[in-house]
Structures are given as structure tokens and as C-alpha cells.
mmCIF file of all heavy atoms in Angstrom:
data_model
loop_
_atom_site.group_PDB
_atom_site.id
_atom_site.type_symbol
_atom_site.label_atom_id
_atom_site.label_comp_id
_atom_site.label_asym_id
_atom_site.label_seq_id
_atom_site.Cartn_x
_atom_site.Cartn_y
_atom_site.Cartn_z
ATOM 1 N N PHE A 1 232.056 39.784 146.413
ATOM 2 C CA PHE A 1 230.691 39.943 146.847
ATOM 3 C C PHE A 1 230.347 38.758 147.893
ATOM 4 O O PHE A 1 229.755 39.028 148.916
ATOM 5 C CB PHE A 1 229.707 39.850 145.665
ATOM 6 C CG PHE A 1 228.317 40.062 146.027
ATOM 7 C CD1 PHE A 1 227.795 41.335 146.097
ATOM 8 C CD2 PHE A 1 227.476 39.040 146.401
ATOM 9 C CE1 PHE A 1 226.457 41.566 146.471
ATOM 10 C CE2 PHE A 1 226.152 39.185 146.725
ATOM 11 C CZ PHE A 1 225.632 40.473 146.777
ATOM 12 N N PHE A 2 230.790 37.567 147.553
ATOM 13 C CA PHE A 2 230.494 36.405 148.420
ATOM 14 C C PHE A 2 231.263 36.374 149.737
ATOM 15 O O PHE A 2 230.947 35.614 150.613
ATOM 16 C CB PHE A 2 230.727 35.086 147.629
ATOM 17 C CG PHE A 2 229.746 34.884 146.544
ATOM 18 C CD1 PHE A 2 230.050 34.094 145.474
ATOM 19 C CD2 PHE A 2 228.502 35.408 146.573
ATOM 20 C CE1 PHE A 2 229.176 33.885 144.387
ATOM 21 C CE2 PHE A 2 227.526 35.238 145.562
ATOM 22 C CZ PHE A 2 227.891 34.456 144.444
ATOM 23 N N THR A 3 232.287 37.254 149.840
ATOM 24 C CA THR A 3 232.907 37.362 151.184
ATOM 25 C C THR A 3 232.028 38.068 152.158
ATOM 26 O O THR A 3 232.169 37.946 153.379
ATOM 27 C CB THR A 3 234.299 38.082 151.101
ATOM 28 O OG1 THR A 3 234.056 39.415 150.657
ATOM 29 C CG2 THR A 3 235.261 37.427 150.140
ATOM 30 N N PHE A 4 231.078 38.896 151.674
ATOM 31 C CA PHE A 4 230.254 39.716 152.519
ATOM 32 C C PHE A 4 231.091 40.602 153.496
ATOM 33 O O PHE A 4 230.663 40.800 154.619
ATOM 34 C CB PHE A 4 229.203 38.937 153.196
ATOM 35 C CG PHE A 4 228.115 38.338 152.251
ATOM 36 C CD1 PHE A 4 228.293 37.096 151.643
ATOM 37 C CD2 PHE A 4 227.068 39.150 151.901
ATOM 38 C CE1 PHE A 4 227.348 36.653 150.778
ATOM 39 C CE2 PHE A 4 226.113 38.701 151.013
ATOM 40 C CZ PHE A 4 226.262 37.437 150.460
ATOM 41 N N SER A 5 232.263 41.044 153.020
ATOM 42 C CA SER A 5 233.088 41.849 153.812
ATOM 43 C C SER A 5 232.807 43.313 153.463
ATOM 44 O O SER A 5 233.142 43.812 152.373
ATOM 45 C CB SER A 5 234.571 41.583 153.546
ATOM 46 O OG SER A 5 235.432 42.472 154.176
ATOM 47 N N ARG A 6 232.125 44.057 154.371
ATOM 48 C CA ARG A 6 231.671 45.400 154.035
ATOM 49 C C ARG A 6 232.817 46.332 153.870
ATOM 50 O O ARG A 6 232.712 47.193 153.010
ATOM 51 C CB ARG A 6 230.744 45.910 155.176
ATOM 52 C CG ARG A 6 229.396 45.136 155.219
ATOM 53 C CD ARG A 6 228.593 45.448 156.415
ATOM 54 N NE ARG A 6 229.278 44.957 157.663
ATOM 55 C CZ ARG A 6 228.619 44.542 158.718
ATOM 56 N NH1 ARG A 6 227.273 44.494 158.700
ATOM 57 N NH2 ARG A 6 229.264 44.125 159.795
ATOM 58 N N SER A 7 233.881 46.183 154.635
ATOM 59 C CA SER A 7 235.069 47.066 154.453
ATOM 60 C C SER A 7 235.700 46.834 153.096
ATOM 61 O O SER A 7 236.203 47.759 152.461
ATOM 62 C CB SER A 7 236.031 46.835 155.603
ATOM 63 O OG SER A 7 236.426 45.474 155.687
ATOM 64 N N ALA A 8 235.774 45.613 152.647
ATOM 65 C CA ALA A 8 236.386 45.320 151.343
ATOM 66 C C ALA A 8 235.488 45.859 150.256
ATOM 67 O O ALA A 8 236.006 46.413 149.207
ATOM 68 C CB ALA A 8 236.629 43.785 151.153
ATOM 69 N N TRP A 9 234.153 45.721 150.405
ATOM 70 C CA TRP A 9 233.232 46.315 149.410
ATOM 71 C C TRP A 9 233.459 47.851 149.321
ATOM 72 O O TRP A 9 233.547 48.393 148.184
ATOM 73 C CB TRP A 9 231.794 46.103 149.814
ATOM 74 C CG TRP A 9 231.381 44.649 149.676
ATOM 75 C CD1 TRP A 9 231.978 43.646 149.055
ATOM 76 C CD2 TRP A 9 230.153 44.061 150.169
ATOM 77 N NE1 TRP A 9 231.315 42.495 149.120
ATOM 78 C CE2 TRP A 9 230.173 42.713 149.770
ATOM 79 C CE3 TRP A 9 229.077 44.553 150.925
ATOM 80 C CZ2 TRP A 9 229.133 41.856 150.114
ATOM 81 C CZ3 TRP A 9 228.043 43.720 151.239
ATOM 82 C CH2 TRP A 9 228.080 42.396 150.854
ATOM 83 N N LEU A 10 233.498 48.493 150.449
ATOM 84 C CA LEU A 10 233.702 49.958 150.460
ATOM 85 C C LEU A 10 235.003 50.349 149.803
ATOM 86 O O LEU A 10 235.099 51.313 149.044
ATOM 87 C CB LEU A 10 233.659 50.463 151.914
ATOM 88 C CG LEU A 10 233.912 51.943 152.120
ATOM 89 C CD1 LEU A 10 232.871 52.803 151.393
ATOM 90 C CD2 LEU A 10 233.953 52.314 153.581
ATOM 91 N N ALA A 11 236.107 49.580 150.106
ATOM 92 C CA ALA A 11 237.393 49.889 149.560
ATOM 93 C C ALA A 11 237.370 49.740 148.015
ATOM 94 O O ALA A 11 237.957 50.535 147.305
ATOM 95 C CB ALA A 11 238.451 48.957 150.156
ATOM 96 N N PHE A 12 236.630 48.726 147.492
ATOM 97 C CA PHE A 12 236.580 48.549 146.045
ATOM 98 C C PHE A 12 235.805 49.677 145.391
ATOM 99 O O PHE A 12 236.163 50.156 144.328
ATOM 100 C CB PHE A 12 235.938 47.185 145.731
ATOM 101 C CG PHE A 12 235.787 46.950 144.231
ATOM 102 C CD1 PHE A 12 236.926 46.861 143.451
ATOM 103 C CD2 PHE A 12 234.598 46.778 143.677
ATOM 104 C CE1 PHE A 12 236.843 46.662 142.087
ATOM 105 C CE2 PHE A 12 234.420 46.554 142.296
ATOM 106 C CZ PHE A 12 235.564 46.433 141.486
ATOM 107 N N VAL A 13 234.724 50.107 146.012
ATOM 108 C CA VAL A 13 233.944 51.300 145.509
ATOM 109 C C VAL A 13 234.801 52.522 145.468
ATOM 110 O O VAL A 13 234.847 53.289 144.459
ATOM 111 C CB VAL A 13 232.692 51.521 146.330
ATOM 112 C CG1 VAL A 13 232.020 52.859 145.876
ATOM 113 C CG2 VAL A 13 231.696 50.361 146.201
ATOM 114 N N LEU A 14 235.605 52.722 146.475
ATOM 115 C CA LEU A 14 236.564 53.881 146.514
ATOM 116 C C LEU A 14 237.582 53.781 145.404
ATOM 117 O O LEU A 14 238.009 54.772 144.793
ATOM 118 C CB LEU A 14 237.227 53.978 147.919
ATOM 119 C CG LEU A 14 236.318 54.369 149.098
ATOM 120 C CD1 LEU A 14 237.083 54.312 150.408
ATOM 121 C CD2 LEU A 14 235.702 55.772 148.876
ATOM 122 N N TRP A 15 238.019 52.516 145.160
ATOM 123 C CA TRP A 15 239.030 52.335 144.106
ATOM 124 C C TRP A 15 238.431 52.700 142.736
ATOM 125 O O TRP A 15 239.109 53.318 141.910
ATOM 126 C CB TRP A 15 239.551 50.894 144.107
ATOM 127 C CG TRP A 15 240.366 50.495 142.886
ATOM 128 C CD1 TRP A 15 240.023 49.588 141.928
ATOM 129 C CD2 TRP A 15 241.576 51.075 142.450
ATOM 130 N NE1 TRP A 15 241.025 49.534 140.985
ATOM 131 C CE2 TRP A 15 241.995 50.486 141.293
ATOM 132 C CE3 TRP A 15 242.417 52.095 142.971
ATOM 133 C CZ2 TRP A 15 243.153 50.789 140.571
ATOM 134 C CZ3 TRP A 15 243.595 52.366 142.281
ATOM 135 C CH2 TRP A 15 243.944 51.757 141.093
ATOM 136 N N LEU A 16 237.181 52.309 142.470
ATOM 137 C CA LEU A 16 236.547 52.649 141.247
ATOM 138 C C LEU A 16 236.389 54.210 141.186
ATOM 139 O O LEU A 16 236.540 54.754 140.047
ATOM 140 C CB LEU A 16 235.152 51.996 141.133
ATOM 141 C CG LEU A 16 235.131 50.488 140.961
ATOM 142 C CD1 LEU A 16 233.696 49.972 140.838
ATOM 143 C CD2 LEU A 16 235.910 50.099 139.693
ATOM 144 N N CYS A 17 236.102 54.858 142.240
ATOM 145 C CA CYS A 17 235.994 56.338 142.266
ATOM 146 C C CYS A 17 237.305 56.946 141.880
ATOM 147 O O CYS A 17 237.384 57.968 141.160
ATOM 148 C CB CYS A 17 235.504 56.808 143.606
ATOM 149 S SG CYS A 17 233.817 56.370 144.004
ATOM 150 N N VAL A 18 238.413 56.369 142.382
ATOM 151 C CA VAL A 18 239.742 56.866 142.068
ATOM 152 C C VAL A 18 240.016 56.761 140.569
ATOM 153 O O VAL A 18 240.508 57.697 139.908
ATOM 154 C CB VAL A 18 240.808 56.107 142.798
ATOM 155 C CG1 VAL A 18 242.205 56.423 142.336
ATOM 156 C CG2 VAL A 18 240.753 56.477 144.317
ATOM 157 N N LEU A 19 239.630 55.617 139.989
ATOM 158 C CA LEU A 19 239.838 55.494 138.501
ATOM 159 C C LEU A 19 239.014 56.464 137.772
ATOM 160 O O LEU A 19 239.494 57.113 136.804
ATOM 161 C CB LEU A 19 239.409 53.970 138.119
ATOM 162 C CG LEU A 19 240.378 52.879 138.479
ATOM 163 C CD1 LEU A 19 239.751 51.560 138.028
ATOM 164 C CD2 LEU A 19 241.716 53.102 137.807
ATOM 165 N N CYS A 20 237.796 56.658 138.160
ATOM 166 C CA CYS A 20 236.881 57.588 137.456
ATOM 167 C C CYS A 20 237.412 59.023 137.582
ATOM 168 O O CYS A 20 237.369 59.782 136.610
ATOM 169 C CB CYS A 20 235.485 57.491 137.982
ATOM 170 S SG CYS A 20 234.650 55.919 137.595
ATOM 171 N N SER A 21 237.792 59.441 138.730
ATOM 172 C CA SER A 21 238.197 60.792 138.996
ATOM 173 C C SER A 21 239.494 61.175 138.257
ATOM 174 O O SER A 21 239.698 62.303 137.872
ATOM 175 C CB SER A 21 238.393 61.065 140.496
ATOM 176 O OG SER A 21 239.458 60.294 141.019
ATOM 177 N N ARG A 22 240.358 60.185 138.060
ATOM 178 C CA ARG A 22 241.596 60.491 137.345
ATOM 179 C C ARG A 22 241.490 60.553 135.839
ATOM 180 O O ARG A 22 242.103 61.375 135.214
ATOM 181 C CB ARG A 22 242.665 59.453 137.728
ATOM 182 C CG ARG A 22 243.234 59.585 139.129
ATOM 183 C CD ARG A 22 244.566 58.885 139.242
ATOM 184 N NE ARG A 22 245.555 59.447 138.316
ATOM 185 C CZ ARG A 22 246.799 58.993 138.218
ATOM 186 N NH1 ARG A 22 247.203 57.966 138.916
ATOM 187 N NH2 ARG A 22 247.600 59.545 137.375
ATOM 188 N N ARG A 23 240.708 59.678 135.264
ATOM 189 C CA ARG A 23 240.736 59.571 133.780
ATOM 190 C C ARG A 23 239.373 59.529 133.109
ATOM 191 O O ARG A 23 239.210 59.229 131.936
ATOM 192 C CB ARG A 23 241.552 58.344 133.365
ATOM 193 C CG ARG A 23 243.029 58.441 133.727
ATOM 194 C CD ARG A 23 243.717 57.173 133.385
ATOM 195 N NE ARG A 23 243.576 56.847 131.969
ATOM 196 C CZ ARG A 23 244.119 55.774 131.338
ATOM 197 N NH1 ARG A 23 244.840 54.906 132.055
ATOM 198 N NH2 ARG A 23 243.862 55.505 130.093
ATOM 199 N N PHE A 24 238.318 59.821 133.922
ATOM 200 C CA PHE A 24 236.983 59.619 133.309
ATOM 201 C C PHE A 24 236.657 60.529 132.148
ATOM 202 O O PHE A 24 235.953 60.181 131.256
ATOM 203 C CB PHE A 24 235.889 59.857 134.436
ATOM 204 C CG PHE A 24 234.538 59.376 134.033
ATOM 205 C CD1 PHE A 24 234.185 58.080 134.201
ATOM 206 C CD2 PHE A 24 233.583 60.270 133.532
ATOM 207 C CE1 PHE A 24 232.940 57.615 133.835
ATOM 208 C CE2 PHE A 24 232.346 59.797 133.104
ATOM 209 C CZ PHE A 24 231.968 58.515 133.280
ATOM 210 N N PHE A 25 237.290 61.769 132.179
ATOM 211 C CA PHE A 25 237.027 62.698 131.073
ATOM 212 C C PHE A 25 238.118 62.771 130.061
ATOM 213 O O PHE A 25 238.142 63.591 129.207
ATOM 214 C CB PHE A 25 236.794 64.079 131.700
ATOM 215 C CG PHE A 25 235.572 64.193 132.617
ATOM 216 C CD1 PHE A 25 235.736 64.176 133.984
ATOM 217 C CD2 PHE A 25 234.310 64.217 132.064
ATOM 218 C CE1 PHE A 25 234.630 64.255 134.806
ATOM 219 C CE2 PHE A 25 233.151 64.271 132.897
ATOM 220 C CZ PHE A 25 233.369 64.296 134.269
ATOM 221 N N ASP A 26 239.065 61.827 130.153
ATOM 222 C CA ASP A 26 240.116 61.775 129.138
ATOM 223 C C ASP A 26 239.542 61.212 127.872
ATOM 224 O O ASP A 26 238.559 60.561 127.846
ATOM 225 C CB ASP A 26 241.285 60.942 129.595
ATOM 226 C CG ASP A 26 242.035 61.627 130.751
ATOM 227 O OD1 ASP A 26 241.736 62.817 131.034
ATOM 228 O OD2 ASP A 26 242.929 61.009 131.374
ATOM 229 N N LEU A 27 240.272 61.503 126.811
ATOM 230 C CA LEU A 27 239.902 60.954 125.538
ATOM 231 C C LEU A 27 240.032 59.456 125.440
ATOM 232 O O LEU A 27 239.323 58.780 124.691
ATOM 233 C CB LEU A 27 240.744 61.591 124.362
ATOM 234 C CG LEU A 27 240.516 63.101 124.158
ATOM 235 C CD1 LEU A 27 241.479 63.631 123.096
ATOM 236 C CD2 LEU A 27 239.081 63.392 123.768
ATOM 237 N N GLU A 28 240.973 58.879 126.241
ATOM 238 C CA GLU A 28 241.172 57.436 126.237
ATOM 239 C C GLU A 28 240.544 56.764 127.469
ATOM 240 O O GLU A 28 241.061 55.790 128.044
ATOM 241 C CB GLU A 28 242.675 57.125 126.227
ATOM 242 C CG GLU A 28 243.430 57.736 125.038
ATOM 243 C CD GLU A 28 244.883 57.443 125.118
ATOM 244 O OE1 GLU A 28 245.360 56.869 126.148
ATOM 245 O OE2 GLU A 28 245.603 57.846 124.156
ATOM 246 N N SER A 29 239.355 57.264 127.835
ATOM 247 C CA SER A 29 238.778 56.738 129.059
ATOM 248 C C SER A 29 237.651 55.719 128.794
ATOM 249 O O SER A 29 236.888 55.401 129.685
ATOM 250 C CB SER A 29 238.137 57.882 129.859
ATOM 251 O OG SER A 29 237.115 58.533 129.100
ATOM 252 N N THR A 30 237.591 55.195 127.565
ATOM 253 C CA THR A 30 236.552 54.276 127.227
ATOM 254 C C THR A 30 236.571 53.025 128.101
ATOM 255 O O THR A 30 235.567 52.515 128.582
ATOM 256 C CB THR A 30 236.632 53.862 125.743
ATOM 257 O OG1 THR A 30 236.638 55.028 124.915
ATOM 258 C CG2 THR A 30 235.491 52.953 125.332
ATOM 259 N N ARG A 31 237.782 52.515 128.296
ATOM 260 C CA ARG A 31 237.910 51.301 129.065
ATOM 261 C C ARG A 31 237.483 51.513 130.510
ATOM 262 O O ARG A 31 236.887 50.662 131.187
ATOM 263 C CB ARG A 31 239.348 50.796 129.092
ATOM 264 C CG ARG A 31 239.732 50.156 127.775
ATOM 265 C CD ARG A 31 241.198 49.723 127.781
ATOM 266 N NE ARG A 31 241.470 48.996 126.545
ATOM 267 C CZ ARG A 31 241.309 47.675 126.413
ATOM 268 N NH1 ARG A 31 240.809 46.957 127.336
ATOM 269 N NH2 ARG A 31 241.694 47.102 125.260
ATOM 270 N N ILE A 32 237.762 52.741 131.133
ATOM 271 C CA ILE A 32 237.336 52.962 132.460
ATOM 272 C C ILE A 32 235.802 53.030 132.530
ATOM 273 O O ILE A 32 235.202 52.567 133.488
ATOM 274 C CB ILE A 32 237.965 54.284 132.961
ATOM 275 C CG1 ILE A 32 239.487 54.119 133.059
ATOM 276 C CG2 ILE A 32 237.439 54.707 134.320
ATOM 277 C CD1 ILE A 32 240.212 55.345 133.589
ATOM 278 N N LYS A 33 235.200 53.644 131.549
ATOM 279 C CA LYS A 33 233.777 53.759 131.527
ATOM 280 C C LYS A 33 233.123 52.326 131.445
ATOM 281 O O LYS A 33 232.217 52.033 132.198
ATOM 282 C CB LYS A 33 233.305 54.574 130.323
ATOM 283 C CG LYS A 33 233.582 56.067 130.419
ATOM 284 C CD LYS A 33 233.137 56.786 129.236
ATOM 285 C CE LYS A 33 233.459 58.270 129.304
ATOM 286 N NZ LYS A 33 233.020 58.997 128.070
ATOM 287 N N VAL A 34 233.699 51.534 130.525
ATOM 288 C CA VAL A 34 233.199 50.134 130.388
ATOM 289 C C VAL A 34 233.380 49.359 131.724
ATOM 290 O O VAL A 34 232.451 48.672 132.187
ATOM 291 C CB VAL A 34 233.901 49.462 129.250
ATOM 292 C CG1 VAL A 34 233.584 47.928 129.271
ATOM 293 C CG2 VAL A 34 233.582 50.071 127.892
ATOM 294 N N LEU A 35 234.549 49.482 132.304
ATOM 295 C CA LEU A 35 234.849 48.796 133.550
ATOM 296 C C LEU A 35 233.941 49.192 134.722
ATOM 297 O O LEU A 35 233.324 48.356 135.341
ATOM 298 C CB LEU A 35 236.335 49.058 133.942
ATOM 299 C CG LEU A 35 236.760 48.440 135.286
ATOM 300 C CD1 LEU A 35 236.741 46.951 135.260
ATOM 301 C CD2 LEU A 35 238.158 48.976 135.652
ATOM 302 N N CYS A 36 233.772 50.508 134.918
ATOM 303 C CA CYS A 36 232.960 51.021 136.019
ATOM 304 C C CYS A 36 231.489 50.676 135.840
ATOM 305 O O CYS A 36 230.876 50.137 136.809
ATOM 306 C CB CYS A 36 233.136 52.480 136.185
ATOM 307 S SG CYS A 36 234.836 53.002 136.723
ATOM 308 N N PHE A 37 230.951 50.920 134.671
ATOM 309 C CA PHE A 37 229.504 50.687 134.447
ATOM 310 C C PHE A 37 229.194 49.139 134.485
ATOM 311 O O PHE A 37 228.177 48.729 135.094
ATOM 312 C CB PHE A 37 229.058 51.286 133.142
ATOM 313 C CG PHE A 37 228.930 52.794 133.202
ATOM 314 C CD1 PHE A 37 229.556 53.548 132.272
ATOM 315 C CD2 PHE A 37 228.217 53.393 134.226
ATOM 316 C CE1 PHE A 37 229.464 54.989 132.326
ATOM 317 C CE2 PHE A 37 228.076 54.790 134.296
ATOM 318 C CZ PHE A 37 228.750 55.581 133.326
ATOM 319 N N SER A 38 230.053 48.374 133.857
ATOM 320 C CA SER A 38 229.789 46.919 133.877
ATOM 321 C C SER A 38 229.949 46.311 135.264
ATOM 322 O O SER A 38 229.241 45.449 135.688
ATOM 323 C CB SER A 38 230.775 46.191 132.874
ATOM 324 O OG SER A 38 232.123 46.460 133.218
ATOM 325 N N SER A 39 230.950 46.868 136.037
ATOM 326 C CA SER A 39 231.080 46.410 137.398
ATOM 327 C C SER A 39 229.914 46.732 138.262
ATOM 328 O O SER A 39 229.377 45.843 139.016
ATOM 329 C CB SER A 39 232.311 47.084 138.061
ATOM 330 O OG SER A 39 233.519 46.669 137.378
ATOM 331 N N LEU A 40 229.348 47.933 138.068
ATOM 332 C CA LEU A 40 228.164 48.261 138.871
ATOM 333 C C LEU A 40 226.950 47.431 138.442
ATOM 334 O O LEU A 40 226.151 46.990 139.316
ATOM 335 C CB LEU A 40 227.830 49.765 138.653
ATOM 336 C CG LEU A 40 228.858 50.750 139.308
ATOM 337 C CD1 LEU A 40 228.499 52.217 138.932
ATOM 338 C CD2 LEU A 40 228.874 50.597 140.822
ATOM 339 N N ILE A 41 226.780 47.241 137.164
ATOM 340 C CA ILE A 41 225.641 46.385 136.694
ATOM 341 C C ILE A 41 225.767 44.957 137.242
ATOM 342 O O ILE A 41 224.780 44.329 137.670
ATOM 343 C CB ILE A 41 225.601 46.402 135.154
ATOM 344 C CG1 ILE A 41 225.203 47.789 134.652
ATOM 345 C CG2 ILE A 41 224.618 45.364 134.669
ATOM 346 C CD1 ILE A 41 225.271 47.946 133.172
ATOM 347 N N PHE A 42 227.003 44.448 137.231
ATOM 348 C CA PHE A 42 227.226 43.098 137.742
ATOM 349 C C PHE A 42 226.943 42.965 139.218
ATOM 350 O O PHE A 42 226.327 42.013 139.697
ATOM 351 C CB PHE A 42 228.672 42.667 137.382
ATOM 352 C CG PHE A 42 228.957 41.208 137.624
ATOM 353 C CD1 PHE A 42 228.148 40.237 137.118
ATOM 354 C CD2 PHE A 42 230.067 40.845 138.347
ATOM 355 C CE1 PHE A 42 228.390 38.917 137.362
ATOM 356 C CE2 PHE A 42 230.349 39.507 138.567
ATOM 357 C CZ PHE A 42 229.517 38.561 138.090
ATOM 358 N N VAL A 43 227.324 44.028 139.964
ATOM 359 C CA VAL A 43 227.140 43.998 141.412
ATOM 360 C C VAL A 43 225.674 44.087 141.680
ATOM 361 O O VAL A 43 225.139 43.373 142.589
ATOM 362 C CB VAL A 43 227.868 45.180 142.046
ATOM 363 C CG1 VAL A 43 227.421 45.417 143.455
ATOM 364 C CG2 VAL A 43 229.380 44.927 142.067
ATOM 365 N N PHE A 44 224.928 44.935 140.917
ATOM 366 C CA PHE A 44 223.519 45.001 141.148
ATOM 367 C C PHE A 44 222.787 43.704 140.836
ATOM 368 O O PHE A 44 221.838 43.339 141.574
ATOM 369 C CB PHE A 44 222.893 46.102 140.236
ATOM 370 C CG PHE A 44 223.121 47.504 140.763
ATOM 371 C CD1 PHE A 44 223.617 48.491 139.956
ATOM 372 C CD2 PHE A 44 222.827 47.853 142.108
ATOM 373 C CE1 PHE A 44 223.854 49.768 140.448
ATOM 374 C CE2 PHE A 44 222.996 49.064 142.586
ATOM 375 C CZ PHE A 44 223.533 50.077 141.757
ATOM 376 N N LEU A 45 223.225 42.956 139.872
ATOM 377 C CA LEU A 45 222.687 41.634 139.535
ATOM 378 C C LEU A 45 222.911 40.676 140.736
ATOM 379 O O LEU A 45 222.002 39.913 141.111
ATOM 380 C CB LEU A 45 223.274 41.090 138.263
ATOM 381 C CG LEU A 45 222.793 41.727 136.936
ATOM 382 C CD1 LEU A 45 223.572 41.218 135.755
ATOM 383 C CD2 LEU A 45 221.265 41.516 136.725
#
């Protein structure tokens, strides 16, 4: 966040989307849910 590199921010958001799209609805997707939601909350803060 402190780099203020917009391209790096966009790439990280796309990476989270990749994680969600691959395993978000799997039975073992708890960690991905925790990771994605906590990352978004932290970024918003």
C-alpha cells in the first residue's frame, strides 16, 4: 500500500480474484475466505 504503485495494487487484486475463483466454493476454502476478507478489511483501514 505504501508503495502507491497502482499497477502493483491492481495485480494483487487480480491475484485475490484468482484465488477466489479457483477454490472459493470448495469445502476447504475457509482459509481463502479468511485471507480475502481480512485483506480487504485491512486495505480499507
